[in-house]
Amino acid sequence: MSSFEIIMPKLGESVQEATITKMFVKLNDQVEEDDMLFEIATDKVDSEIPCPVDGKVVEIRFKENDVVPVGEVVAIIALGDATDVEAPQEASSTVAGSESPAEESAETLSASDIQSTSGRFYSPLVKSIAKSENISVQELETIAGNGTDGRVQKQDVLDYLSQRNGSAASAAQAKEVPAEKPAVAPAPKAEKPKVSMSIGAQDQIIEMDRMRRIIADHMVMSKQTSPHVTAMVEADVTDMVNWRNKVKDAFQKREGTKITFMPIIIEAVAKALREFPGVNASVDGYNLILRKNINVGVAVALPSGNLIVPVIKNADQKNLIGLANDMNRLATDARNNKLGPDDVSGGTFTISNFGSFKNVMGTPIINQPQVAILAVGTIEKKPAVVETPAGDAIVVRQKMFLSLSYDHRVVDGALGGAFLRRIADYLEDYDTNRAF
């Protein structure tokens, strides 16, 4: 009988490997097209890998937490019903802790019978997880759903499993046998300096999740790589605010999407980057790489508390409508964990919106391998002195701080200051009569 190899896909140009964070199937499982096989994570994005064919899982070559190079065969599917195909006797690479079919409870759910035993709706992904984790009908019915109309989502099931399996995982770790020491001790690795601290009896210790560890390492690396300098200006964005307030209802009615301040800021940044290519760059040793494309990333806060930076490609070639559509789509996909690898790769400049948290300014860390990052603060009404034909007058104006952190290896104060000033000029001299 013919078979189909499931290989580790290439998730972006710079991605060479991925970690299997979750297996939804086990040996001898019958799978259908679009059933989820496993979940993988890279340093850029998490993705769920669906099955492209119908068949039976006859071989699994990797287990959870294994790092798999792109192009490697992860599993083999025997095509068709494959009821006469026997799985290999040795299944050391199957998911740790999974039970054989003979050991499964009689009440364990299969992917096909969940709907017939329950009035609730369960997605194929939820059914697949329930099947692979041996969740009974009674257990699944008790899981509170946070989706629309109380629908059980993937995260609801994973949270339940985390609570259910917490004690079992601790017990399993305690039983692990230490690996034998090699005959020749490896050379000691240089350890990072550790801050000495005391921990009180009432303190809580929380281990960083995978994304937070990646962010932490990336931020430390950036500070060690680039000498950071930050410049700030306060921009009078009254005209920009008035224009947006005037057109926002008509914009949403005609275009079907909201117009926020961020697309306007991206537009100004993209124009300034065209004029100052030395800021749209990267450093390679003693070489400066001037990027041809202007790809602007915007930091988005996730419900987990982490950050991700989706990228608007060729931002200088898009009008305000295109920028608004891209920004809203990427922000929504980021919060719903639906970003693809291409959505978070290729950025040449980054914007961090401190204003979304009502912060007036910030000094962000450069998103390597870029050489600058812009922080935008909250917009506040302030008294300001303006010149009038009758003389100076104090009036209420809309003000916003802009902060630019730049890599002083290649961006000097003159370049960084002029670039930041140009962004402010574009925002201050906003055409209140422009059409969108």
Side-chain angles (χ1 to χ4, degrees):
M1 181 171 288
S2 59
S3 61
F4 188 91
E5 293 182 340
I6 307 297
I7 65 171
M8 179 61 69
K10 186 174 180 63
L11 300 178
E13 295 181 2
S14 62
V15 177
Q16 301 300 323
E17 61 186 17
T19 302
I20 297 177
T21 56
K22 189 70 178 177
M23 272 287 186
F24 299 130
V25 297
K26 57 182 180 294
L27 214 59
N28 292 326
D29 276 355
Q30 197 74 30
V31 293
E32 298 178 355
E33 185 177 353
D34 292 332
D35 283 350
M36 293 302 166
L37 297 176
F38 50 92
E39 182 181 72
I40 62 176
T42 70
D43 61 349
K44 296 183 180 295
V45 71
D46 296 351
S47 297
E48 293 169 341
I49 306 303
C51 186
V53 295
D54 296 341
K56 182 178 182 179
V57 181
V58 295
E59 186 174 352
I60 299 176
R61 298 186 180 181
F62 296 94
K63 58 183 183 297
E64 289 181 8
N65 298 320
D66 281 351
V67 179
V68 184
V70 169
E72 283 288 324
V73 177
V74 178
I76 296 179
I77 309 294
L79 300 180
D81 185 37
T83 54
D84 59 337
V85 178
E86 293 186 1
Q89 294 298 317
E90 295 183 2
S92 59
S93 62
T94 56
V95 180
S98 61
E99 299 177 352
S100 65
E103 294 171 326
E104 293 183 5
S105 166
E107 294 180 338
T108 296
L109 296 171
S110 70
S112 61
D113 65 10
I114 290 179
Q115 294 305 117
S116 63
T117 60
S118 170
R120 302 174 78 182
F121 172 81
Y122 300 107
S123 68
L125 176 57
V126 168
K127 291 190 289 184
S128 180
I129 299 174
K131 179 182 177 183
S132 64
E133 295 293 341
N134 295 330
I135 298 178
S136 66
V137 176
Q138 290 82 355
E139 284 183 288
L140 195 60
E141 290 291 301
T142 62
I143 298 176
N146 291 310
T148 305
D149 299 327
R151 182 177 296 178
V152 176
Q153 298 177 316
K154 167 193 168 185
Q155 192 59 46
D156 299 326
V157 181
L158 296 183
D159 290 344
Y160 169 78
L161 288 172
S162 177
Q163 296 175 0
R164 187 187 74 171
N165 299 334
S167 58
S170 299
Q173 291 177 359
K175 294 180 180 180
E176 288 183 357
V177 179
E180 295 183 2
K181 295 183 178 180
V184 179
K189 295 182 179 179
E191 296 185 358
K192 298 179 181 179
K194 188 175 181 180
V195 178
S196 177
M197 68 182 69
S198 60
I199 301 176
Q202 302 300 318
D203 295 341
Q204 183 181 11
I205 300 175
I206 301 175
E207 184 180 359
M208 293 183 186
D209 59 24
R210 187 193 65 85
M211 180 174 285
R212 177 51 56 183
R213 291 197 298 268
I214 292 174
I215 293 172
D217 291 341
H218 192 67
M219 294 298 97
V220 172
M221 179 272 289
S222 182
K223 292 292 286 187
Q224 292 174 339
T225 301
S226 300
H228 283 56
V229 176
T230 302
M232 300 180 186
V233 298
E234 187 176 27
D236 184 335
V237 293
T238 306
D239 289 344
M240 179 188 77
V241 173
N242 290 341
W243 180 85
R244 185 254 179 184
N245 290 339
K246 181 177 68 173
V247 305
K248 63 180 181 180
D249 292 337
F251 188 99
Q252 184 169 5
K253 182 178 180 180
R254 196 185 85 176
E255 302 300 332
T257 191
K258 292 183 179 180
I259 177 66
T260 64
F261 293 117
M262 185 52 65
I264 302 173
I265 295 170
I266 295 172
E267 182 184 52
V269 167
K271 288 181 180 178
L273 288 171
R274 289 284 299 268
E275 297 179 57
F276 298 90
V279 184
N280 194 58
S282 296
V283 180
D284 181 19
Y286 289 116
N287 295 323
L288 178 63
I289 303 172
L290 300 179
R291 302 295 187 180
K292 179 180 179 181
N293 296 328
I294 295 177
N295 302 332
V296 179
V298 180
V300 175
L302 301 176
S304 63
N306 293 320
L307 286 173
I308 196 166
V309 184
V311 178
I312 297 179
K313 305 294 178 60
N314 299 310
D316 59 319
Q317 300 177 20
K318 297 179 179 178
N319 60 17
L320 199 58
I321 297 172
L323 293 174
N325 281 320
D326 282 359
M327 187 69 254
N328 293 337
R329 176 186 65 82
L330 290 170
T332 300
D333 287 351
R335 297 185 182 104
N336 293 329
N337 196 30
K338 293 183 178 180
L339 289 175
D342 290 338
D343 292 329
V344 294
S345 61
T348 61
F349 186 88
T350 298
I351 301 173
S352 183
N353 187 6
F354 283 69
S356 61
F357 309 107
K358 301 300 181 182
N359 295 166
V360 296
M361 67 178 67
T363 56
I365 298 175
I366 297 168
N367 186 14
Q368 299 292 334
Q370 300 164 24
V371 298
I373 180 172
L374 177 73
V376 296
T378 189
I379 299 174
E380 296 182 314
K381 291 181 179 180
K382 293 182 178 181
V385 177
V386 298
E387 295 180 356
T388 71
D392 293 343
I394 298 177
V395 297
V396 176
R397 305 290 290 179
Q398 302 274 6
K399 296 291 191 77
M400 177 177 67
F401 279 101
L402 303 173
S403 311
L404 181 73
S405 293
Y406 54 87
D407 187 339
H408 209 0
R409 292 179 300 171
V410 294
V411 179
D412 293 326
L415 173 59
F419 171 72
L420 181 61
R421 185 61 254 175
R422 186 57 53 85
I423 297 173
D425 289 342
Y426 280 129
L427 298 178
E428 289 184 337
D429 300 332
Y430 207 79
D431 183 5
T432 57
N433 295 316
R434 70 176 290 186
F436 55 85

